Amino acid sequence: MHLRHATLHQLRIFLAVARHSSFARAAEELHLSPPTLSLQVKQLAETVGQPLFEQLGKKIFLTAAGRALADACQDIESRMERLSQDLAALRGVEKGSLKIAILTTVKYTVPKLLGGFCAAHPGIEVAMFVGNRETLLQRLANNQDDLYIMGQPPQQLDVVSEDFAENPLVLVAPPTHPLVGQPSVAPQRLANESFILREPGSGTRLSVERFFAEHGITLKNRLEVGSNEAIKQTVAGGLGLAVLSATTVVAELALKELVLLEAQGFPLIRHWYVVYPKGKKLSAAATAFKAWLFEHRPSSTAPTS
């Protein structure tokens, strides 16, 4: 075995396959053809001298040698990332790169902040990933980005989290709903209402279910929808009520496609957090953007009906 003959390119390809448990998805991520990717993995296995994957049915799994190599690749990738950050820091904050991953709900606020940051620091290369909570947690566990913006920091991961802005959750209904215009609607009056909810595990859904559970109410779940846009259209169509981040419904409220209900306990005040793995050494660019978030944090004012 002569691992000194293995290349960083091969290790990067192997780690992508190990992360996805799929040659096809790894090839798509790395913009390589499947035959090219497979050849690189095969050559790496020959260098190691042992099989790295085994196939059971249609699924592939790491062998013992593959798991050991994957751990080493993670260490190498982390060290190369730190080297990149150190070199960028030597060049100062006006150079370098920034990778952030944000929750889908945050796309209504953070991109605007990012735009201002990029205008102030045009020399920094920025990449932004937008996804749901489950995807962000996977990326966080794999240390794929510099910073993560989400509404509820994970308890199962060792992270640093700092809240930089309020995220009010409001209760919305179609304009024709009988509770529209009713003052101070008690939570118990909502017990028989149908709700349109985000997917299980969503931070918004967890907060909503916790609020109603505290009032002894189990929500009637009419539909589970994986995007805020779809939820808004479903509510506007009269299929139920929903609790959404106030930042996501500004246009619909202005157009009177949706209406706020004056329910007791609403808006629910949550927060946006900037999150990163504990012990991670932030680059100069990431440190600067984190400071920018706090300096230019959005107003915490919730909309009123």
Side-chain angles (χ1 to χ4, degrees), residues 171-282:
L171 179 61
V172 295
T176 56
H177 195 280
L179 289 179
V180 171
Q182 296 285 333
S184 192
V185 176
Q188 288 72 20
R189 291 186 64 186
L190 302 171
N192 293 321
E193 296 291 337
S194 296
F195 276 79
I196 314 301
L197 300 176
R198 284 296 300 264
E199 71 280 2
S202 158
T204 299
R205 177 167 176 168
L206 291 172
S207 295
V208 173
E209 290 179 334
R210 186 182 306 117
F211 170 80
F212 282 101
E214 290 171 354
H215 290 83
I217 299 169
T218 300
L219 291 181
K220 291 177 61 178
N221 179 7
R222 184 165 191 177
L223 283 175
E224 289 181 358
V225 182
S227 77
N228 293 319
E229 297 302 321
I231 289 178
K232 290 186 290 185
Q233 294 302 316
T234 304
V235 174
L239 292 183
L241 308 179
V243 178
L244 294 167
S245 172
T247 60
T248 70
V249 294
V250 174
E252 289 76 14
L253 294 177
L255 294 172
K256 301 188 184 303
E257 295 175 353
L258 297 175
V259 180
L260 292 183
L261 293 187
E262 297 182 29
Q264 295 174 15
F266 285 88
L268 302 177
I269 302 300
R270 297 174 69 232
H271 292 85
W272 295 125
Y273 291 84
V274 55
V275 180
Y276 54 94
K278 191 172 184 179
K280 182 182 181 70
K281 183 179 179 182
L282 295 182

Side-chain angles (χ1 to χ4, degrees), residues 132-145:
N132 62 22
R133 177 176 173 81
E134 181 180 357
T135 304
L136 256 64
L137 292 181
Q138 291 175 351
R139 295 178 69 91
L140 176 58
N142 292 325
N143 192 28
Q144 291 180 248
D145 309 277

